[in-house]
Amino acid sequence: MAEFARLVIDDKEYTLPVIEGSEGEKAIDIRSLRHESGYITFDPGFGNTGTCRSAITYMDGEKGILRYRGIPIEELAEHSTFVETAFLLITGKLPSRDELIRTSVLLNDYSLLHEDMRSFYQNFPRRAHPMGILSAMINALRSFYPELVDIDEELNKTFLRLISKIRTMAAMAYKISRGHRVIYPRPDYSYCANFLNMMFDNPVIPYHMDEDLERALNAFWILHADHEQNCSTTAVRVVGSGKVNIYAAISAGISALWGPLHGGANQAVVLMLEKIIHDGMDLDTVIARAKDKNDDFRLMGFGHRVYKTYDPRAKIMKKMCDIVLSKTRHEDPLLDVARELEERALTDEYFKEKNLYPNVDFYSGIVLRAMGIPTNMFTVMFAIGRLPGWIAQWKEDYADPEMKISRPRQIYTGATLNHYIPLSER
Ligand code: ACO
């Protein structure tokens, strides 16, 4: 590997160090560039910019590889639990039996919400989107819990408090939005079973816990737990870089995830499939519209900034679709349309040429629907899953002596010097 890159500007040569990661990824370190040459780099959307060194998640978009702390996502989805995966992401290692028990005990201890927070829910309009509510509630946690101190044990408690409470908050938002009685968390249930129970139990018809659905939810959250420097994680790191409290940084991540080009895509996929069925659109028209440059319609759940092959998470999610649908004896016409749409897109020249493959969101909405999760809660489900990743990334950033406050530069294209004209002369 080259140790330096040489950049020539107007006959002057600059030598820039090259950095290599543990999987052979290479970067040109341009930190001295502006100071030495007066030039900056231009990279809207940061597609070619490394913003940190990270030891959390490795992905190879060309080969369709995703690993957390070196462990392939396929192994974790098959054998791990969401709580164990969260521990792995945040601490860097799989927990011992004792560590796992202690984690579960603390998750139970922290699962209740301060009763004063309940009244917040009553004041949101009934139609408020649960992502807006969740982002506000997570931010509000800061007012109820003391400032973080630089003691590992306190930090760990804060992480577990977040992971536990987000699940209660999400289920509570759903129950209150429907005008139903809130169901409290149960210490005898696992993390996932507790969530399903808080969502669907009611005094008249007790919720029947199904191991396969619990397992599917576990896998869904594991698949979403981290994805290196994506839009919402970058938001968490950028906001966190100002040394704001972790609740505010996570709240920013939730807001970023809300967008339809990011976490909102799972909801957008289902809405798209429903519209196709409702309007009786034929799939040739759908594909033609997605390819038309003058039409802003996109095939939701297709394409990814990094994956230029099948998203490894989408493969697992597709398998889970069959398991969950057969378990719930659910016949979903959306799945038939999704399968046919995928088949057509994968053989279409436009999609092949641009490397557009299904991403995790293409099938995740159908899985969530079959579990009974309402469409407007889909992105909330994603946020619960992504929380351990945001925490791990925030923690890494917080402890990294190399990190600075995020402050990109720009190329100014506005007016040059221009003087103020008094109102009477305009
Ligand atoms: N349907 C049709 N055309 C598409 C699609 C799509 N879903 N995605 C990308 N393209 C086309 C673009 O029009 C563009 O064409 P051009 O080169 O002729 O201009 C080309 O493919 C590259 O697309 P970009 O938008 O430049 O790619 P980028 O990496 O910036 O965007 C993104 C990635 C946002 C995911 C995009 O593929 C998209 O909008 N997909 C649909 C939304 C979606 O599924 N988001 C979920 C992402 S996964 C996640 O966040 C969990």
Side-chain angles (χ1 to χ4, degrees):
M1 183 200 67
E3 282 178 29
F4 294 97
R6 285 178 234 297
L7 174 69
V8 179
I9 306 173
D10 289 340
D11 293 339
K12 190 162 184 309
E13 186 174 290
Y14 301 90
T15 310
L16 302 163
V18 168
I19 302 174
E20 186 170 348
S22 52
E23 289 284 351
E25 291 174 306
K26 297 173 189 66
I28 300 168
D29 179 348
I30 53 123
R31 278 177 288 183
S32 62
L33 184 64
R34 193 182 64 85
H35 178 65
E36 286 181 13
S37 69
Y39 281 75
I40 58 167
T41 56
F42 187 65
D43 186 20
F46 312 129
N48 301 289
T49 299
T51 55
C52 58
R53 296 177 209 253
S54 182
I56 302 169
T57 291
Y58 173 67
M59 59 189 286
D60 181 327
E62 266 72 38
K63 296 191 186 134
I65 292 174
L66 177 61
R67 297 179 199 143
Y68 299 158
R69 302 285 186 183
I71 304 178
I73 191 71
E74 293 80 3
E75 290 177 25
L76 290 167
E78 178 85 26
H79 304 294
S80 184
T81 64
F82 178 61
V83 169
E84 187 183 52
T85 300
F87 189 101
L88 169 74
L89 283 166
I90 296 170
T91 67
K93 65 174 192 69
L94 286 168
S96 65
R97 194 173 293 276
D98 282 355
E99 285 170 327
L100 201 53
I101 291 171
R102 183 171 154 68
T103 302
S104 301
V105 168
L106 286 174
L107 285 172
N108 270 329
D109 281 358
Y110 295 142
S111 61
L112 289 169
L113 274 200
H114 197 295
E115 280 293 315
D116 289 352
M117 288 193 91
R118 246 182 101 155
S119 60
F120 293 180
Y121 283 103
Q122 319 293 349
N123 297 315
F124 282 102
R126 269 286 146 88
R127 294 177 61 84
H129 196 286
M131 280 299 269
I133 299 177
L134 192 65
S135 164
M137 295 296 280
I138 291 285
N139 212 345
L141 277 175
R142 168 66 184 81
S143 309
F144 287 81
Y145 297 96
E147 184 64 278
L148 273 177
V149 283
D150 273 335
I151 302 171
D152 277 356
E153 189 55 21
E154 284 304 309
L155 269 176
N156 288 337
K157 283 184 185 165
T158 300
F159 301 155
L160 291 176
R161 184 179 290 126
L162 268 165
I163 292 174
S164 190
K165 290 200 191 307
I166 196 173
R167 169 192 56 170
T168 312
M169 283 175 170
M172 209 179 216
Y174 170 66
K175 283 290 195 193
I176 291 176
S177 74
R178 301 203 63 191
H180 291 177
R181 204 180 86 180
V182 166
I183 304 292
Y184 283 80
R186 281 178 47 168
D188 55 327
Y189 274 167
S190 73
Y191 188 91
C192 294
N194 231 325
F195 178 76
L196 289 171
N197 192 60
M198 283 192 275
M199 284 287 288
F200 301 120
D201 191 42
N202 72 58
V204 183
I205 311 167
Y207 183 63
H208 167 70
M209 194 58 63
D210 182 292
E211 270 182 16
D212 281 341
L213 290 195
E214 190 187 336
R215 183 84 215 128
L217 181 56
N218 238 313
F220 172 86
W221 276 336
I222 289 171
L223 294 182
H224 286 81
D226 195 47
H227 215 221
E228 52 122 301
Q229 308 313 315
N230 56 83
C231 172
S232 55
T233 301
T234 302
V236 170
R237 280 195 181 247
V238 168
V239 172
S241 78
K243 298 293 176 221
V244 69
N245 65 82
I246 189 172
Y247 302 108
I250 299 291
S251 165
I254 294 172
S255 300
L257 190 72
W258 192 356
L261 295 190
H262 190 17
N266 52 16
Q267 179 172 349
V269 170
V270 166
L271 296 177
M272 174 186 78
L273 296 172
E274 280 176 348
K275 188 166 165 51
I276 291 172
I277 293 173
H278 180 267
D279 295 357
M281 288 165 82
D282 73 278
L283 296 188
D284 289 335
T285 312
V286 175
I287 298 275
R289 281 193 62 192
K291 297 192 306 190
D292 184 354
K293 281 272 147 258
N294 300 316
D295 190 332
D296 59 10
F297 174 81
R298 278 191 169 194
L299 204 54
M300 298 314 286
F302 261 76
H304 197 274
R305 173 59 65 79
V306 181
Y307 291 123
K308 298 305 163 203
T309 182
Y310 216 101
D311 180 339
R313 302 166 302 169
K315 279 188 195 155
I316 303 170
M317 199 61 79
K318 192 177 177 183
K319 268 194 233 153
M320 237 155 49
C321 236
D322 293 327
I323 296 170
V324 172
L325 289 182
S326 70
K327 188 76 200 189
T328 53
R329 292 191 196 85
H330 201 99
E331 294 218 345
D332 195 341
L334 262 62
L335 181 61
D336 300 331
V337 177
R339 283 196 181 118
E340 200 177 332
L341 204 51
E342 177 191 341
E343 209 175 294
R344 294 211 191 185
L346 289 178
T347 49
D348 189 283
E349 272 317 308
Y350 171 94
F351 288 86
K352 283 201 307 203
E353 186 196 310
K354 293 187 189 298
N355 294 320
L356 298 171
Y357 292 86
N359 58 50
V360 66
D361 289 321
F362 195 64
Y363 286 106
S364 65
I366 299 172
V367 170
L368 294 176
R369 241 166 84 99
M371 283 180 183
I373 308 285
T375 316
N376 71 350
M377 284 287 287
F378 285 5
T379 319
V380 168
M381 300 298 289
F382 190 158
I384 299 173
R386 182 54 54 87
L387 179 60
W390 288 331
I391 293 173
Q393 303 270 352
W394 178 91
K395 185 183 170 207
E396 192 174 63
D397 206 273
Y398 190 77
D400 185 349
E402 231 179 14
M403 290 314 289
K404 296 174 165 209
I405 185 164
S406 293
R407 196 345 184 151
R409 311 290 297 205
Q410 63 167 16
I411 295 296
Y412 175 67
T413 58
T416 51
L417 183 63
N418 203 1
H419 292 287
Y420 179 76
I421 305 166
L423 192 55
S424 56
E425 292 172 29
R426 275 180 248 158

